[in-house]
Amino acid sequence: MWFGGWLPVIDQLSFIPSAVWFLGKMTVFILIYVWLRGSLPRLRYDALMNLGWKRLLPTAIAVLFVVAVIDTIKTEPAKVVVQAEPGGPAGPGIGGPR
């Protein structure tokens, strides 16, 4: 489980059996789930699709671009070292003294 499963919350409470910890944590999460599910309004299908396509997707794309721009700005450019090859364009005979 994400919250430690059968492990105690505090080490001083390790005398409580592991099964009690697991069932207690599971009960707490089920109660929280039922409480939230019962108290929050249920979205209609068209409202949920409207939220996803018109709000969440454009927001995610905007965040993606913002993060890409920030990453591009913070990243230092690579240092390119160009070495001339002998006899190449920067080699002897081209642009040299006459």
Side-chain angles (χ1 to χ4, degrees):
M1 246 176 113
W2 181 38
F3 286 99
W6 63 87
L7 299 175
V9 179
I10 303 171
D11 288 334
Q12 287 78 11
L13 298 175
S14 61
F15 62 89
I16 299 173
S18 299
V20 173
W21 277 114
F22 181 74
L23 291 174
K25 290 178 185 181
M26 192 171 59
T27 303
V28 167
F29 289 117
I30 289 173
L31 288 175
I32 290 172
Y33 174 78
V34 170
W35 177 35
L36 287 175
R37 178 84 177 164
S39 60
L40 295 176
R42 188 167 44 143
L43 292 174
R44 294 188 333 246
Y45 184 74
D46 62 334
L48 186 62
M49 296 311 277
N50 185 26
L51 174 70
W53 286 105
K54 293 185 179 179
R55 303 276 190 250
L56 296 178
L57 185 65
T59 303
I61 292 172
V63 167
L64 179 71
F65 281 116
V66 168
V67 168
V69 167
I70 291 172
D71 185 50
T72 303
I73 291 171
K74 288 183 124 184
T75 303
E76 296 180 16
K79 295 181 181 178
V80 179
V81 177
V82 179
Q83 295 181 350
E85 296 180 18
I94 299 178
R98 292 185 185 220

